[in-house]
């Protein structure tokens, strides 16, 4: 919320400066996000009146002006502005003046004619970007007066960053109440004597939805002049609050909202067809053209004000175009209602519109003083636009019940950690305008109608802390025995896993959990992604079920910016439908939310260097990275060739750990490589975080002093046999046969296919085996026996034959 300090000080004027006022508001919970001067520094600029304008003798585009600056004698000023005319009042930078940016004004000759100063545009004074001509001032501006004083430029614009619970501070009056409570200064609330009705006319209003409208007040006025000019002081206050001046009637309505926090609406009475209004919930399929020229389709959860069966206004949000006031309006109906916050909240987001009124109503607006605010608005309209007023029709339908809240003094002291006197707490409540009764050491407080944030005891404790001052609460460190938390070595944290990925030359990224629906259905292969009710953007409409799509987008983004090598990873949650999941503190019914780790590598396997030739990263490079993440448990990993919608059909695999599926690895599908306009296919992997967090601890064993024997075993097998399956057979034979316990390691080191047509259905695989006994040196007979048993196991399981 933005407002000028000068307006605030008309309601409460404490004897403290701007900086101190800003600090106290911030420390009380009303954070002053910005405090900027209304105008930049300049001096020597006064209000002047142009008495005459003559052509310049030596220049077609310049003119010589005789100017009255209140100094007795007229000054001669050379000016080139097209709107310089006799009789207008404009800013004059006198000789010796300093303008924004340090520009100094002196006597100068312009094309042979002396100029004793400079007539200024708004941009030259830093007041706006308008430089089409001179800045024209009001006719009643005093000649010779300082421009800063005449336009009240020695002012500060405060911008407050309010929390959603402080709806009462979305007005000058609300902030003034806080300042009065913090400083003890006298609060002057804006009031107006009731306007005596000169008309008897009342517009009939029927409220059919008490859960929508709790109170409805309205008044008929006739004979108003909508073409009346809004006073300069009113326009200035609106502009300094970020509002533009529209017409006098609209300006007054906006002024009341900013002053007391009461959104109101003004109907053109002659455009209300049925000459009566109905307040109800909308019927599905009804439509309404709003003041912002947007036509919306209404739903049954949206409130409307109708004339007959025709919706004329979106209740608590925005008026309709058909009954809007214009410059030709002469008869009006003013409405000041209390709309229930629950009936307004979320509607603007659903309709994708913004509204100052809805911003206040969905947080809670004062429901007791609507009539007083309507009287204040009526007085302003009569003073500015004239007209006659009828009686106020005030209907009370269903107002909130303000349950008293009990504050225990002992509890307050315990929570704040300081000794607060009973009278000190009572004084805080008096300053805040909170009505209370005392029951021993307890305070029973009835929240006022404009405070929707006081509901429980802790709310009152917060009020005491704010007014007493958080700075007065000493910072005392807690006294407790420090106990070191032992971290189990068999469990890795997410932070440790991130560090391991960084050590493997990957960079961490954090992507949105919201993704494009097409990514989920086409790339991730999720037929029914979880949709968002209110997506922040159309391309972020569903929850992700995989991290891979985000990494693909990261690679494309970097490739478009001429990056030739990208290695990224992400650790985060994914979201999948699962009917077995129940509601809980960290779960949502029907949604499984596991954490995954995903990585992607694209481009050269290593940075460009002289030590090794350039080579594109491939499947096996990333497979090695995955295996290194699992450490000693890598021996339990298996990679089974399977297809995934995002991956290359012949270069992808399912990752299993001890027989359990934990993720995927493979090259990006050629279709998506082409769609993303990549020069080569990145290699991706994704595994569950849970599978990475369990760590097998090393087992200490005696080192053998016997020599290691190395033997090779080459066999022919059918071309369709997988190497992983053969390695699994060898390891199973070693585990089940005590004779093979001396086999320490097995590794594939060669694959060969005979190019002849006769052997095209077979391939040759060569394995290297390392054998070692812990007690004796292995002789050839024992080694041959071990190799023979492994060969027999392969022949039996995979139709292998010796090469």
């Amino acid at each position: 919320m933005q407002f000028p300090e000068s307006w605030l000080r008309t309601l409460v004027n404490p004897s403290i400066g701007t900086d101190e006022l800003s600090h106290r508001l911030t420390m009380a919970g009303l954070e002053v996000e910005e405090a900027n001067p209304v105008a930049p520094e300049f001096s020597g600029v006064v209000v002047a009146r142009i008495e005459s304008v003559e052509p310049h003798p030596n220049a077609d585009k310049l003119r010589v002006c005789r100017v009255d600056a209140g100094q007795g004698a007229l000054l001669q000023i050379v000016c080139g502005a097209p709107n310089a005319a006799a009789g207008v009042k404009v800013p004059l930078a006198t000789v010796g003046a300093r303008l924004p940016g340090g520009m100094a004004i002196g006597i100068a000759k312009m094309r042979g004619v002396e100029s004793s100063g400079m007539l200024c545009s708004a941009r030259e004074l830093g007041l706006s970007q308008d430089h089409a001509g001179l800045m024209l001032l009001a006719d009643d501006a005093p000649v010779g007066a300082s421009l800063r004083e005449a336009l009240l430029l020695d002012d500060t614009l405060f911008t407050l960053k309010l929390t959603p619970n402080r709806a009462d501070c979305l007005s000058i009056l609300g902030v003034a109440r806080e300042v009065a409570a913090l400083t003890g200064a006298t609060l002057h609330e804006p009031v107006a004597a009731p306007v005596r009705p000169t008309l008897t006319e009342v517009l009939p209003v029927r409220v059919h939805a008490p859960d929508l409208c709790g109170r409805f007040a309205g008044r008929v006025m006739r004979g108003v002049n909508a073409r009346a000019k809004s006073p300069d002081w009113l326009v200035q206050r609106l502009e300094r609050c970020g509002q533009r001046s529209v017409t006098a009637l609209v300006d007054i309505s906006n002024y009341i909202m900013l002053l007391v926090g009461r959104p109101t609406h003004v109907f053109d009475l002659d455009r209300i067809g049925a000459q009566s209004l109905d307040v109800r919930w909308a019927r599905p399929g009804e439509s309404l053209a709003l003041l912002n020229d947007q036509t919306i389709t209404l739903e049954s959860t949206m409130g409307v004000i109708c004339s007959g069966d025709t919706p004329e206004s979106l209740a608590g949000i925005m008026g309709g175009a058909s009954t809007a006031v214009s410059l030709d309006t002469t008869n009006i109906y003013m409405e000041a209602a209390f709309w229930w916050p629950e009936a307004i909240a979320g509607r603007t987001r659903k309709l994708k519109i913004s509204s100052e009124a809805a911003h206040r109503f969905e947080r809670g607006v004062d429901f007791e003083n609507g009539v007083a605010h309507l009287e204040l608005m009526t007085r302003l309209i009569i003073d500015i636009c004239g007209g006659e007023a009828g009686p106020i029709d005030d209907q009370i339908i269903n107002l909130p019940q303000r349950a008293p809240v009990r504050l225990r003094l002992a509890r307050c002291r315990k929570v704040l950690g300081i000794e607060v006197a009973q009278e000190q707490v009572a004084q805080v409540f008096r300053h805040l305008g909170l009505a209370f009764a005392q029951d021993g050491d307890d305070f029973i407080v009835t929240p006022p109608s404009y405070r929707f944030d006081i509901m429980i005891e802790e709310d009152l404790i917060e009020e005491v802390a704010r007014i007493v001052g958080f700075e007065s609460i000493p910072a005392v460190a807690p006294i407790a025995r420090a106990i070191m938390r032992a971290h189990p070595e068999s469990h890795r944290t997410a932070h440790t896993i991130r560090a391991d990925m960084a050590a493997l030359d990957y960079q961490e990224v954090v992507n949105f959990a919201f993704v494009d629906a097409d990514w989920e259905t086409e790339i991730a292969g999720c037929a029914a992604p979880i949709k968002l009710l209110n997506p922040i953007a159309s391309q972020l409409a569903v929850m992700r079920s995989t991290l891979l799509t985000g990494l693909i987008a990261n690679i494309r983004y970097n490739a478009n910016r001429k990056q030739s090598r990208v290695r990224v990873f992400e650790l985060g949650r994914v979201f999948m439908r699962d009917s077995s999941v129940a509601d809980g503190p960290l779960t949502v019914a029907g949604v499984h939310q596991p954490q995954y780790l995903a990585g992607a590598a694209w481009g050269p396997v290593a940075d460009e260097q002289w030590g090794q030739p350039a080579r594109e990263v491939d499947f096996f490079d990333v497979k090695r990275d995955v295996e290194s993440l699992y450490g000693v448990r890598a021996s339990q990993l298996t990679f089974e060739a399977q297809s995934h919608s995002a991956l290359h059909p012949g270069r992808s695999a399912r990752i299993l750990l001890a027989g359990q599926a934990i993720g995927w690895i493979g090259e990006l599908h050629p279709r998506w490589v082409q769609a993303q306009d990549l020069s080569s296919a990145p290699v991706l992997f994704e595994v569950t975080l849970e599978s990475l967090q369990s760590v097998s601890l090393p087992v200490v064993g005696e080192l053998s002093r016997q020599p290691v024997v190395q033997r090779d075993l080459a066999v022919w097998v059918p071309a369709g046999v997988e190497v992983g399956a053969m390695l699994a057979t060898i390891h199973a034979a070693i585990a089940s046969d005590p004779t093979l316990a001396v086999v320490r390691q097995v590794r594939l080191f060669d694959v060969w296919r005979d190019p002849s047509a006769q052997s095209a259905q077979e391939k040759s695989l060569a394995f290297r085996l390392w054998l070692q006994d812990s007690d004796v040196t292995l002789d050839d007979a024992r080694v041959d026996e071990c190799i023979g048993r492994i060969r027999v196991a392969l022949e039996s399981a995979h139709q292998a034959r010796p090469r």
Side-chain angles (χ1 to χ4, degrees):
M1 177 184 169
Q2 177 181 300
F3 61 90
E5 181 184 1
S6 59
W7 192 4
L8 175 65
R9 288 187 180 270
T10 62
L11 301 186
V12 58
N13 191 15
S15 56
I16 57 177
T18 299
D19 291 341
E20 177 64 19
L21 177 60
S22 173
H23 176 72
R24 290 204 189 183
L25 286 173
T26 298
M27 293 308 298
L30 276 64
E31 181 186 351
V32 179
E33 192 172 28
E34 293 181 1
N36 298 320
V38 168
E41 284 295 324
F42 60 81
S43 61
V45 182
V46 300
V47 176
R49 173 187 169 89
I50 300 177
E51 297 296 336
S52 65
V53 178
E54 299 174 358
H56 192 289
N58 303 319
D60 294 336
K61 294 186 178 181
L62 296 178
R63 286 179 285 180
V64 180
C65 303
R66 300 289 179 180
V67 177
D68 180 8
Q71 300 176 4
L74 297 181
L75 301 178
Q76 179 174 281
I77 310 291
V78 177
C79 176
N83 62 340
V88 299
K89 292 183 179 180
V90 294
L92 168 65
T94 58
V95 174
R98 300 193 73 86
L99 299 185
M103 179 181 177
I105 302 300
I107 298 176
K109 281 194 174 183
M110 300 181 68
R111 302 294 292 271
V113 177
E114 189 174 272
S115 180
S116 300
M118 178 178 126
L119 301 179
C120 302
S121 68
R123 187 167 78 169
E124 288 164 337
L125 296 173
L127 301 180
S128 76
Q129 294 303 311
D130 183 12
H131 63 101
L134 299 178
M135 179 180 178
L136 301 181
L137 304 178
D139 292 339
D140 58 354
V143 173
S146 167
L147 186 71
R148 300 193 73 90
E149 294 178 3
L151 299 183
L152 301 176
L153 298 180
D154 293 320
D155 199 358
T156 302
L157 293 182
F158 283 157
T159 302
L160 300 187
K161 187 177 181 180
L162 298 173
T163 52
N165 63 319
R166 294 309 306 269
D168 60 300
C169 291
L170 288 169
S171 66
I172 303 297
L173 176 59
V175 179
R177 289 193 189 106
E178 289 290 304
V179 174
L182 292 168
T183 63
T186 303
L187 175 65
H188 304 283
E189 294 198 25
V191 293
V195 174
R196 189 176 210 176
T198 55
L199 302 174
T200 59
E201 184 178 359
V202 174
L203 183 69
V205 178
R206 294 175 292 273
V207 179
H208 303 280
D211 55 339
L212 167 64
C213 179
R215 185 172 187 171
F216 195 99
R219 167 175 259 170
V220 171
M221 290 191 69
R222 290 190 176 274
V224 299
N225 178 17
R227 295 181 181 273
K229 183 178 180 296
S230 296
D232 291 339
W233 62 266
L234 176 59
V235 174
Q236 184 186 78
R237 287 180 176 178
L238 290 177
E239 288 178 346
R240 292 184 182 179
C241 290
Q243 298 268 356
R244 64 182 180 88
S245 175
V246 183
T247 65
L249 291 174
V250 176
D251 290 351
I252 292 169
S253 178
N254 289 336
Y255 179 81
I256 293 297
M257 179 184 69
L258 294 171
L259 177 61
V260 297
R262 164 73 56 189
T264 59
H265 186 60
V266 182
F267 293 87
D268 188 322
L269 184 62
D270 297 329
R271 293 185 175 185
I272 300 176
Q275 289 302 299
S276 66
L277 295 177
D278 291 272
V279 179
R280 59 173 173 82
W281 293 107
R283 297 171 185 139
E286 288 183 318
S287 62
L288 174 63
L290 298 175
L291 288 173
N292 63 356
D293 296 326
Q294 179 179 344
T295 300
I296 60 172
T297 300
L298 300 170
E299 298 181 6
S300 59
T301 57
M302 299 173 185
V304 290
I305 301 176
C306 299
S307 174
D309 288 332
T310 305
E312 301 290 2
S313 177
L314 190 58
I317 298 176
M318 190 176 293
S322 62
T323 55
V325 294
S326 66
L327 294 176
D328 297 324
T329 297
T330 56
N331 305 314
I332 62 173
Y333 180 75
M334 300 181 297
E335 165 259 307
F338 169 73
W339 307 102
W340 280 90
E342 296 81 2
I344 307 300
R347 275 59 171 187
T348 55
R349 288 185 290 278
K350 192 165 190 177
L351 294 170
K352 296 181 175 60
I353 60 176
S354 61
S355 162
E356 289 282 349
H359 184 72
R360 287 163 172 80
F361 278 123
E362 66 185 1
R363 289 162 171 77
V365 169
D366 185 357
F367 54 83
E368 286 290 347
N369 297 304
V371 172
H373 298 161
L374 206 55
E375 291 283 10
L376 188 62
M377 184 174 175
T378 304
R379 172 52 58 195
L380 283 172
I381 291 178
I382 290 176
D383 290 347
I384 297 171
C385 303
E388 297 181 289
I392 292 180
D393 176 28
D394 181 26
Q395 300 183 44
I396 298 176
I397 302 100
N398 177 30
L399 295 182
Q401 300 299 315
R402 309 317 303 269
V405 181
R406 180 180 290 268
L407 172 67
R408 296 164 292 172
L409 187 59
R411 172 68 175 167
C412 180
R413 291 167 176 169
K414 181 177 180 181
V415 171
L416 297 183
I418 58 175
E419 285 295 319
V420 185
Q422 187 180 56
E423 179 55 31
Q424 192 176 8
V425 174
Q427 193 68 15
V428 167
F429 291 157
R430 291 190 195 101
H431 284 166
L432 287 170
L434 304 180
F436 66 91
Q438 289 186 250
D439 181 11
D441 281 346
D442 293 0
F443 291 83
I444 302 172
V445 178
T446 302
S449 58
Y450 52 82
R451 291 295 297 269
F452 285 75
D453 61 317
I454 298 177
M455 301 178 68
I456 59 177
E457 185 177 30
E458 284 71 17
D459 295 330
L460 293 175
I461 295 174
E462 180 187 6
E463 295 301 298
V464 174
R466 289 192 317 106
I467 305 305
V468 169
F470 290 110
E471 292 172 312
S472 64
I473 301 176
V476 180
I479 301 174
R481 185 180 298 277
I483 301 175
M484 298 295 294
R485 295 183 61 188
H487 185 76
E489 293 183 59
S490 60
H491 181 83
R492 279 198 298 180
T493 65
H495 180 75
T496 303
I497 295 170
R498 289 187 175 99
D500 292 342
M501 285 298 293
L504 291 170
D505 197 22
Y506 289 85
Q507 292 181 308
E508 185 176 11
V509 296
V510 180
N511 292 311
F512 269 124
F514 316 139
V515 297
D516 194 317
D518 291 340
W519 288 11
E520 279 297 299
T521 55
E522 297 180 13
I523 300 179
C526 180
I530 300 171
K531 297 182 179 179
L532 298 173
L533 292 178
N534 295 301
I536 59 177
S538 59
Q539 72 274 16
L540 302 173
V542 300
M543 302 296 291
R544 65 186 179 189
S545 64
T546 176
L547 303 178
L548 297 180
T549 51
L551 298 183
I552 295 168
N554 297 143
I555 291 174
R556 179 190 61 195
Y557 182 89
N558 282 274
N560 290 342
R561 284 152 182 81
K562 307 303 180 184
Q563 298 298 309
S564 59
R565 183 174 183 266
V566 181
R567 293 171 68 88
V568 291
F569 79 93
E570 181 174 12
L571 194 157
R573 292 193 182 277
V574 297
F575 306 85
M576 295 171 282
R577 297 187 184 277
D578 187 344
S579 57
S580 65
V581 178
D583 261 329
L586 299 175
T587 59
V588 177
V591 180
H592 184 42
Q593 306 177 48
Q595 285 186 290
Y596 279 7
L597 172 72
W602 177 76
V605 68
D607 285 323
E608 187 175 2
Q609 56 171 296
W610 60 269
Q612 67 182 50
R615 176 176 65 82
E616 291 290 312
V617 68
D618 60 23
F619 177 94
F620 298 100
D621 294 318
V622 177
K623 177 175 177 285
R624 178 190 58 206
D625 293 338
V626 173
E627 290 172 338
S628 66
L629 285 174
Y630 285 88
V632 295
R633 301 178 69 203
S635 60
Q636 301 176 33
L637 289 175
T638 53
F639 298 83
E640 294 184 354
Q642 290 188 26
S643 295
H644 185 284
S645 57
L647 303 177
H648 193 298
R651 299 175 185 175
S652 60
R654 187 78 163 164
I655 306 175
L656 296 93
L657 179 67
Q660 296 293 321
I662 60 167
W664 291 89
I665 184 173
E667 285 187 7
L668 185 63
H669 197 291
R671 174 187 173 188
W672 308 124
V673 174
Q674 183 178 9
Q676 302 297 324
D677 197 22
L678 299 175
S679 58
S680 60
V683 184
L684 310 103
F685 76 88
E686 183 177 56
V687 294
T688 62
L689 180 63
E690 184 182 12
S691 67
L692 285 163
Q693 290 183 312
S694 296
V695 180
S696 296
L697 296 179
V699 178
V700 178
E702 183 180 356
L703 293 177
S704 174
R705 296 177 179 273
Q706 306 303 319
V708 176
V709 178
Q710 180 178 303
R711 288 289 178 90
D712 294 343
L713 173 62
V715 293
W716 287 100
V717 293
V721 175
E722 297 177 353
V723 173
M726 297 184 68
L727 288 171
T729 299
I730 295 173
H731 288 303
I734 294 172
S736 61
D737 190 345
T739 305
L740 299 179
V742 296
V743 180
R744 304 296 188 188
Q745 189 176 0
V746 182
R747 184 178 299 168
L748 177 74
F749 72 90
D750 183 59
V751 178
W752 182 77
R753 288 179 173 83
D754 193 329
S756 63
Q758 293 80 358
S759 301
Q761 300 302 316
E762 287 187 311
K763 60 184 176 183
S764 171
L765 302 178
F767 298 91
R768 183 156 293 160
L769 296 88
W770 288 263
L771 302 89
Q772 184 186 37
D773 196 304
S774 57
D775 298 323
V776 298
T777 301
L778 294 175
D779 55 22
D780 288 343
R782 190 173 175 188
V783 171
D784 290 341
E785 182 183 2
C786 290
I787 299 299
R789 293 193 179 203
I790 291 174
R791 183 186 297 115
V792 170
L794 294 175
E795 289 174 353
S796 174
H798 305 289
Q799 303 176 12
R801 59 185 180 83
R803 178 176 168 185

